[in-house]
Amino acid sequence: MPQQLFPTMLTLCNFASGVFAIYAIFAQRFSIAVLCICFGLLFDLLDGWTARKLNAVSTFGKELDSLADIVTFGLAPAMFAYQLVLCELGQIGLGVAYLYSIGAVLRLARFNSTQSDLPTFIGLPVPGAAIGLLLSVALMSPWLVALSTCLLAWFMISQVKFPHLKKIKVDEEEVHGIH
């Protein structure tokens, strides 16, 4: 159990980042919200890496990670997009933000139940979707944000394969130029 403490603490930092992002959105401190989501991304990368390095990978850790990801990469980005841009579309904007959150929850549930051992991701991982949503809010008009948000939600629940960078194995001989 002691080796699982550090990865668990990193996962809880991911969760806290998402919670603080939501608080920042309520306070209309949008740059702080983006910063919190970015910190969540960092903690999300570090918790899994640390768990693998410490040989502390567990079902508990996988479930906790997904719960944190729902907050940081599912709810917080959807609320951010709604408060900044999608609110201009009224109920449609609210529905689009809700659709994104549903896509994130379904994606994470499917990943935990059937895909965590596959060499590729099936569907866009929620951290990638969160990055896409934050970028679209920064660069697009409300209707284009709505469209991109719907596309991101669809990609999360799609059967499209995305590379699983942690599981790509590079042949040692290819790295060193030996054939």
Side-chain angles (χ1 to χ4, degrees):
M1 182 64 180
Q3 75 263 22
Q4 291 178 333
L5 184 60
F6 192 58
T8 298
M9 295 306 295
L10 290 168
T11 302
L12 291 175
C13 287
N14 171 10
F15 174 76
S17 296
V19 170
F20 287 133
I22 292 169
Y23 289 146
I25 292 163
F26 283 135
Q28 297 192 356
R29 307 277 314 268
F30 300 114
S31 58
I32 300 291
V34 170
L35 189 61
C36 288
I37 293 169
C38 290
F39 275 121
L41 283 165
L42 178 63
F43 290 125
D44 190 48
L45 288 171
L46 291 174
D47 67 357
W49 181 82
T50 304
R52 287 186 296 280
K53 289 295 179 189
L54 295 175
N55 198 26
V57 175
S58 68
T59 302
F60 173 81
K62 180 174 73 170
E63 296 296 330
L64 184 64
D65 183 72
S66 288
L67 293 170
D69 288 356
I70 287 169
V71 174
T72 306
F73 310 123
L75 293 176
M79 292 175 69
F80 177 81
Y82 179 77
Q83 286 295 317
L84 248 67
V85 178
L86 294 174
C87 64
E88 294 178 30
L89 303 177
Q91 296 297 316
I92 291 172
L94 185 61
V96 167
Y98 182 64
L99 182 68
Y100 175 90
S101 296
I102 289 173
V105 168
L106 291 173
R107 167 72 181 88
L108 288 163
R110 182 176 66 187
F111 177 76
N112 281 357
S113 65
T114 63
Q115 296 180 5
S116 61
D117 295 326
L118 295 178
T120 60
F121 288 116
I122 308 298
L124 179 63
V126 293
I131 292 168
L133 186 52
L134 294 178
L135 289 173
S136 73
V137 167
L139 303 173
M140 298 179 187
S141 69
W143 284 106
L144 288 176
V145 171
L147 178 62
S148 68
T149 304
C150 289
L151 284 172
L152 289 166
W154 179 82
F155 272 118
M156 283 189 281
I157 62 170
S158 74
Q159 296 296 313
V160 176
K161 292 182 180 180
F162 291 86
H164 196 309
L165 300 178
K166 293 179 271 191
K167 295 189 180 182
I168 294 176
K169 302 283 189 236
V170 179
D171 187 355
E172 284 288 324
E173 293 177 355
E174 288 180 33
V175 171
H176 300 297
I178 302 169
H179 296 282

